Amino acid sequence: MFRAAVRLSVSGVRSITRTQPGCQTLLASRGYSHGKQETDEEFDARWVTYFNKSDIDAWELRKGMNTLIGYDLVPEPKIVEAALKACRRLNDLASAIRILEAVKDKAGPHKEIYPYLIQELKPTLEELGISTPEELGIDKV
Amino acid sequence: MLRLTAGRVGSLVARRATVALTTSSARMASHGHEVSEIADMSKPMYWDRREIPLPDKRYKDILTPADESLKEKEKGPWGQLSNEEKLALYRLSFCKTYPEMNQSSSEWKTVVAGVLYCIGLTGLVIIWQAAYVSPPAPRTFDAEWQAKQVKRMLDMRVSPIEGFAAKWDYEKGQWK
């Protein structure tokens, strides 16, 4: 849902023509018109599976996160949760905090997305002991 | 006519090669610590970029023993780390936070000021040029000549229907 909000306002005509108002399943905007279009659920599932790999290594985490942030969307809470758990397996707290900063930055002018994300991630953050950038005071310059 | 023999060319090339090889060491010897470090772009680099949240390498390469022990503590439950320790871990891996990265600067004011200054300077140069460099205007620019020219054009009936002479009232002898 928030991906649609971001896409409608930020992207160009392409995304507006692809989305169907009132419809829950939206089409991922890709460059080609042929071939099967991936649904939002498939996209999310693919990324959750990627980060859930039990023996994920640091490079794969970095590659995954940098690629994900490159997309024109804010990742769903379940993807961020999987990424944070991957950070835990890699004993990397700094990256976990960086991921939270990055998704907040991705939301851009849509200030309501990040609080929603943190609200959804609260159980995971408490379980893993990750402080948000706000708690550490690095959300301001 | 200079003719470079093969031997001469060879010695020239060799001399230039040795100059290139010794340049860096000579530079370092003569300038000491003033030479800036050139980043080795064949190795993973660190960047602070919005679109690359996790750069290829950690920010701090060399860890003090205190940092090492903090890294060991990171392997345990993160709830046991204090906020200062968490911040220290963040700063080990990253240089700037996202807000620090994104902050705007006042550089544009300097740029605009510089541009206006250069334009102003150029303006002064042009004024000086007009006063001291340009030759005197041709005589056809004199007011008297111009008046005679206009009279001649009116007598010739230049553009009498819609243009020049059409705007002159020949009965009253003045512009319409």
Side-chain angles (χ1 to χ4, degrees), chain B residues 82-98:
Chain B
S82 69
N83 275 7
E84 288 77 25
E85 288 174 326
K86 288 180 182 174
L87 256 173
L89 281 167
Y90 183 91
R91 291 291 181 183
L92 277 180
S93 298
F94 305 109
C95 177
K96 292 189 190 167
T97 66
Y98 265 70

Side-chain angles (χ1 to χ4, degrees), chain B residues 22 26 35 56 61 71 73 78 81-82 111-112 115 121 132 140 145 148 159 163 165 170:
Chain B
T22 55
V35 178
D56 295 341
D61 298 313
K71 279 271 163 203
K73 206 174 169 195
W78 290 338
L81 294 163
S82 69
V111 171
V112 170
V115 167
L121 216 62
Y132 292 99
T140 53
W145 186 290
K148 286 189 194 163
S159 306
Y170 283 94

Side-chain angles (χ1 to χ4, degrees), chain A residues 61-62 65-66 69 87-88 91-95 97-98 101-102 105 128-131 135-136 138-139 141, chain B residues 48 50 52-56 74-76 78 83 86-87 89-90 93-94 96-99 101-103:
Chain A
L61 171 70
R62 287 198 308 269
M65 271 322 299
N66 294 337
I69 294 296
C87 288
R88 174 67 268 190
N91 299 323
D92 194 350
L93 174 65
S95 293
I97 301 169
R98 190 74 157 182
E101 280 192 303
D105 188 64
L128 299 176
I130 301 171
S131 302
E135 286 165 11
L136 293 173
I138 53 174
D139 60 321
V141 178
Chain B
D48 274 316
R50 288 178 68 189
I52 306 176
L54 305 175
D56 295 341
E74 198 183 10
K75 293 181 184 167
W78 290 338
N83 275 7
K86 288 180 182 174
L87 256 173
L89 281 167
Y90 183 91
S93 298
F94 305 109
K96 292 189 190 167
T97 66
Y98 265 70
M101 222 193 283
N102 292 340
Q103 67 188 167

Side-chain angles (χ1 to χ4, degrees), chain B residues 7-157:
Chain B
R8 289 243 180 93
V9 171
S11 68
L12 269 173
V13 169
R15 213 180 308 142
R16 206 177 296 155
T18 50
V19 165
L21 283 168
T22 55
T23 308
S24 50
S25 52
R27 195 184 344 141
M28 282 167 71
S30 60
H31 291 278
H33 299 287
E34 289 166 30
V35 178
S36 61
E37 247 193 44
I38 300 159
D40 186 351
M41 296 203 159
S42 62
K43 297 205 199 107
M45 291 179 72
Y46 175 85
W47 298 271
D48 274 316
R49 296 203 65 95
R50 288 178 68 189
E51 64 272 14
I52 306 176
L54 305 175
D56 295 341
K57 77 170 188 53
R58 197 194 296 151
Y59 176 58
K60 292 223 167 75
D61 298 313
I62 306 136
L63 296 176
T64 67
D67 298 333
E68 296 276 0
S69 63
L70 196 57
K71 279 271 163 203
E72 280 301 311
K73 206 174 169 195
E74 198 183 10
K75 293 181 184 167
W78 290 338
Q80 287 175 2
L81 294 163
S82 69
N83 275 7
E84 288 77 25
E85 288 174 326
K86 288 180 182 174
L87 256 173
L89 281 167
Y90 183 91
R91 291 291 181 183
L92 277 180
S93 298
F94 305 109
C95 177
K96 292 189 190 167
T97 66
Y98 265 70
E100 285 166 7
M101 222 193 283
N102 292 340
Q103 67 188 167
S104 53
S105 74
S106 298
E107 195 192 0
W108 69 272
K109 295 176 193 166
T110 316
V111 171
V112 170
V115 167
L116 291 174
Y117 178 77
C118 288
I119 292 173
L121 216 62
T122 311
L124 287 174
V125 169
I126 290 170
I127 292 169
W128 176 85
Q129 265 185 327
Y132 292 99
V133 176
S134 315
R139 60 186 169 149
T140 53
F141 280 65
D142 297 340
E144 203 193 317
W145 186 290
Q146 289 278 320
K148 286 189 194 163
Q149 190 169 312
V150 169
K151 176 93 177 57
R152 187 157 180 269
M153 283 167 77
L154 288 171
D155 292 343
M156 277 199 285
R157 306 289 196 271

Side-chain angles (χ1 to χ4, degrees), chain A residues 48-122:
Chain A
V48 167
T49 314
Y50 178 89
F51 285 118
N52 275 345
K53 187 170 139 189
S54 54
D55 57 348
I56 193 171
D57 65 31
W59 184 91
E60 284 173 351
L61 171 70
R62 287 198 308 269
K63 175 70 180 167
M65 271 322 299
N66 294 337
T67 310
L68 192 61
I69 294 296
Y71 295 147
D72 183 19
L73 50 83
V74 181
E76 285 281 317
K78 52 179 174 294
I79 304 177
V80 181
E81 184 188 332
L84 294 175
K85 291 200 169 121
C87 288
R88 174 67 268 190
R89 291 198 294 283
L90 289 162
N91 299 323
D92 194 350
L93 174 65
S95 293
I97 301 169
R98 190 74 157 182
I99 288 170
L100 293 175
E101 280 192 303
V103 297
K104 180 178 183 182
D105 188 64
K106 273 314 281 189
H110 303 269
K111 299 267 184 260
E112 68 282 359
I113 298 180
Y114 179 69
Y116 164 76
L117 217 65
I118 293 295
Q119 175 200 316
E120 293 292 309
L121 288 170
K122 249 277 156 286

